[in-house]
Amino acid sequence: MHSTVTDLADFADRAAALEQRAIALGAPVQLSLPLLPATPPASVDHAIELALTFQRLSARDEYVQARELVADLLRPHRELDPLEFANALGMLSAALAEADRPDDAVARLQECRTLLAPYAAPGISIERLTADPDALDGLALYARALLDLGGWLGVLGRPEEAISARQQALAAYERCAAASLGFDPNVAVTCSRLADMLLDQPDGAEDALSPADRAVDIFTARADFAPHRDAVLPDFGYAHWLRTRALTRLDRLDDAVAAGRQAVTLLRVAAVSSAPHAWTLVTVLELTSDLLADSQEHAEAHALAVEALEAADRTTEPFLQLLALWVHSRRLLDNSGAFGAWEDTRVGELLSAYSTLVENAPDQWLEELAVQLMSLSEHLADVTRAADAAGAAALALTPYRRLVAADPGWTSAYCHALGVYAELRLRIGEEDQALAVAEHYLAVASSYSETSAVHARAQETFATCLARVGRLQEAEQGARACVDLWAALA
């Protein structure tokens, strides 16, 4: 009895401290509700009310502490009421995840899985699940714990365990759905979450397509009934987006375009009332625009890019706005054949967009940005817009520098960009600036390799720039050094 009294005293002290903290934050709280063995439900209810108060106040740490108090109050009774304790663990894990404590969230979810494992025993028949609400609720809680566990294991960089947890969650929800059709949406959502995780794997597109297809089939059936249609629209659109990504990876372009159009149609409606769905809408607009451009459907591709810009502006999310700006820039770049007829304002718009992109781009965008900018520079140079071409080449240097810093194997491509930039500065009569670029070009190339075509081309550009500024003796020496390098290579 002594340990019980001690535990209750500890619970009371924790509750009192949380009450005082809630009052300090401006919340009206009933103080000193007794924590007695005879009244555990009242104690738990009070702790839950404290948790909800801190949640409303956005007091993250206190919210976690209150959820921990709820779980600790119920822990001694877990054998008598495992479902209530499991629900408390689930709420605690969500609070820990929101507090950026994914390791602790995983630990609580694993505890929840162990607690609920008897509800997933193979010997429990579908007939029993249909007849016994507690058995069905236990299996559903088990499935939800595994679904959430898979998400946080993925965040922690444990993909094999994460995929396995979601596969187990899917199997559990399938058994729930066999006992009650009301669990069909859970099956569909779990299929989508599993497909999303499989798509993150290098060769996961083929494996991802099957659960994505299944999610689409389930949502299609539910969307045929008016009461369910609005509720399933966001997840329905998301499932089509997953199919689009998988089909794109599998080079099934026509099918991917069709899936992308379906996703856009559904998410346009869902995004009106939800910022998370607006995020997905921008990403699906970007992907579908790219797919349509690959299919030579340039007018529709450009229209979706413009829509992505508008949707991103409504979210005020900087990353989304950057992503939308990038897809719009790509569509303008697709029109490169018309650069000669472009007005200065339109070229300026494109260069300004890319300037914003290179300043803020995440690492995974750098390679494509650098390649696009060099392509833009080439197109502009071909239509005698050398100054604008030089501007594009100058922008390309930023992603190339970042690529080289992460991997010296990019030095050759960086040197090529420096060479193009130096030659364009010469073309527009900026000889002194061209010489400065060429000098840097030669320094980078010679550090890359003392005898290589990269070094020889850098030496040639440097000699040319020296000649253009009238430093003829040095230019001659540079030209001879260039000849020697080519001779050594030959």
Side-chain angles (χ1 to χ4, degrees):
M1 186 67 183
H2 173 73
S3 61
T4 302
V5 172
T6 302
D7 289 344
L8 287 169
D10 174 62
F11 292 151
D13 288 343
R14 289 164 63 188
L18 287 169
E19 288 167 343
Q20 294 291 348
R21 179 61 180 150
I23 291 171
L25 291 171
V29 176
Q30 178 184 352
L31 285 170
S32 304
L33 184 74
L35 292 159
L36 301 173
T39 61
S43 303
V44 171
D45 289 345
H46 183 53
I48 291 172
E49 186 58 39
L50 279 170
L52 295 174
T53 297
F54 288 124
Q55 188 178 37
R56 287 192 295 271
L57 294 168
S58 300
R60 192 171 65 176
D61 292 341
E62 290 85 354
Y63 178 56
V64 169
Q65 293 168 32
R67 283 294 171 194
E68 285 174 335
L69 178 60
V70 173
D72 289 345
L73 282 167
L74 289 169
R75 191 179 299 277
H77 310 283
R78 61 184 178 274
E79 302 299 332
L80 294 174
D81 197 345
L83 297 186
E84 187 173 6
F85 180 51
N87 187 61
L89 287 175
M91 297 298 293
L92 172 57
S93 71
L96 289 164
E98 290 174 9
D100 297 323
R101 293 168 57 182
D103 289 290
D104 293 330
V106 164
R108 298 288 73 76
L109 288 168
Q110 287 173 330
E111 182 181 1
C112 190
R113 174 176 62 181
T114 301
L115 174 72
L116 296 172
Y119 289 94
I124 298 177
S125 66
I126 300 300
E127 289 74 18
R128 179 181 167 187
L129 291 172
T130 303
D132 184 350
D134 283 348
L136 186 58
D137 288 346
L139 182 59
L141 278 173
Y142 174 78
R144 179 56 191 264
L146 283 166
L147 182 62
D148 292 344
L149 178 61
W152 291 111
L153 286 169
V155 169
L156 293 173
R158 296 157 64 178
E160 292 182 1
E161 294 174 78
I163 290 169
S164 174
R166 289 203 162 163
Q167 288 170 333
Q168 293 173 56
L170 178 57
Y173 271 133
E174 285 172 335
R175 295 188 66 205
C176 291
S180 170
L181 291 176
F183 283 97
D184 276 352
N186 300 85
V187 173
V189 168
T190 307
C191 282
S192 292
R193 301 276 180 85
L194 176 59
D196 198 358
M197 191 162 278
L198 289 167
L199 281 168
D200 287 337
Q201 306 310 303
D203 299 312
E206 190 73 54
D207 292 334
L209 186 58
S210 178
D213 282 343
R214 188 169 177 203
V216 166
D217 289 343
I218 292 172
F219 286 131
T220 299
R222 292 187 72 82
D224 286 340
F225 296 94
H228 302 299
R229 181 170 175 78
D230 290 343
V232 303
L233 273 180
D235 290 322
F236 197 8
Y238 181 67
H240 274 296
W241 177 60
L242 293 169
R243 287 193 74 246
T244 307
R245 292 168 56 198
L247 291 163
T248 301
R249 293 257 299 272
L250 295 170
D251 294 324
R252 292 171 53 181
L253 183 58
D254 290 344
D255 292 335
V257 167
R261 284 174 170 148
Q262 288 274 10
V264 166
T265 298
L266 294 165
L267 287 167
R268 276 182 184 132
V269 179
V272 170
S273 59
S274 171
H277 303 319
W279 182 287
T280 310
L281 174 61
V282 173
T283 57
V284 77
L285 284 167
E286 181 218 10
L287 177 55
T288 309
S289 176
D290 283 344
L291 291 168
L292 287 163
D294 291 342
S295 300
Q296 307 304 309
E297 300 281 351
H298 293 298
E300 187 180 354
H302 185 263
L304 292 189
V306 172
E307 184 180 349
L309 274 177
E310 295 168 350
D313 284 343
R314 290 195 297 271
T315 69
T316 68
E317 288 282 349
F319 179 81
L320 276 191
Q321 292 170 343
L322 203 63
L323 184 67
L325 187 63
W326 190 18
V327 67
H328 188 245
S329 299
R330 292 202 295 273
R331 295 296 79 80
L332 291 175
L333 190 57
D334 291 338
N335 257 344
S336 56
F339 279 152
W342 276 16
E343 298 177 0
D344 291 342
T345 52
R346 194 172 183 196
V347 175
E349 176 190 359
L350 185 57
L351 290 175
S352 175
Y354 271 109
S355 176
T356 302
L357 287 166
V358 298
E359 289 173 10
N360 300 281
D363 289 346
Q364 62 266 31
W365 292 10
L366 295 176
E367 179 180 351
E368 193 170 349
L369 274 175
V371 170
Q372 286 176 15
L373 281 163
M374 292 309 295
S375 174
L376 174 59
S377 178
E378 180 183 345
H379 288 309
L380 289 167
D382 286 344
V383 294
T384 64
R385 300 187 70 115
D388 292 324
L395 288 173
L397 300 181
T398 297
Y400 274 129
R401 276 193 291 268
R402 287 175 59 186
L403 287 165
V404 169
D407 179 3
W410 283 99
T411 305
S412 177
Y414 177 44
C415 284
H416 172 70
L418 285 167
V420 170
Y421 183 42
E423 291 169 8
L424 287 166
R425 297 299 286 266
L426 280 181
R427 192 186 299 187
I428 60 178
E430 296 180 347
E431 288 87 357
D432 290 336
Q433 295 90 333
L435 178 60
V437 175
E439 192 169 9
H440 177 60
Y441 175 20
L442 180 59
V444 174
S446 58
S447 67
Y448 172 67
S449 172
E450 292 187 0
T451 307
S452 69
V454 173
H455 190 186
R457 283 192 288 269
Q459 185 68 61
E460 182 179 351
T461 300
F462 184 54
T464 301
C465 291
L466 286 168
R468 287 286 294 273
V469 297
R471 294 163 58 176
L472 300 182
Q473 186 174 359
E474 295 171 84
E476 182 180 352
Q477 292 171 351
R480 291 182 185 280
C482 179
V483 170
D484 290 342
L485 282 168
W486 284 119
L489 289 168

